[in-house]
Amino acid sequence: MKKNCEGLPGCGKKKDKLSLLKRAQNFIATSTKHVANGLKNVNDTDYMIRIRTCNTCDKLAGGNTCSLCGCYIPTKARWEVSDCPLNKWKK
């Protein structure tokens, strides 16, 4: 049985892109944790390790956004309470 989109680019491929609503929900949840944690950031060394880790990840989209959680990596990597959805960052 043929798919309606057969032969078109991207047919049958899973989309990694999150909806704007889901991205907003993730940002609000993480921002709330960040405020509750006293707005603490990781040190510069840990920040750079997180950034390097993300830069080698196949889930990085557009050079600065995680396609799994939709977060803006330069901000997310700085916040102490943030976690990588693939558990690639040290705790």
Side-chain angles (χ1 to χ4, degrees):
M1 185 172 179
K2 287 187 174 185
K3 294 182 181 182
N4 291 340
C5 65
E6 191 170 322
L8 298 175
C11 182
K13 291 183 181 178
K14 182 182 172 192
K15 290 184 178 180
D16 283 338
K17 194 168 184 177
L18 294 176
S19 71
L20 182 59
L21 176 61
K22 184 62 179 168
R23 289 179 66 187
Q25 289 171 332
N26 288 345
F27 178 74
I28 290 167
T30 304
S31 296
T32 301
K33 284 191 224 176
H34 183 55
V35 170
N37 190 46
L39 303 173
K40 294 178 187 171
N41 292 325
V42 297
N43 63 47
D44 290 342
T45 301
D46 287 342
Y47 174 73
M48 291 310 300
I49 291 169
R50 287 178 172 196
I51 291 294
R52 277 190 227 114
T53 300
C54 291
N55 284 339
T56 62
C57 183
D58 65 339
K59 299 301 179 186
L60 186 66
N64 60 19
T65 304
C66 176
S67 65
L68 292 180
C69 64
C71 291
Y72 180 67
I73 295 303
T75 300
K76 181 176 182 150
R78 181 64 71 185
W79 293 354
E80 185 179 88
V81 297
S82 296
D83 294 316
C84 168
L86 296 174
N87 296 313
K88 292 184 176 186
W89 295 348
K90 75 175 187 174
K91 301 271 181 175

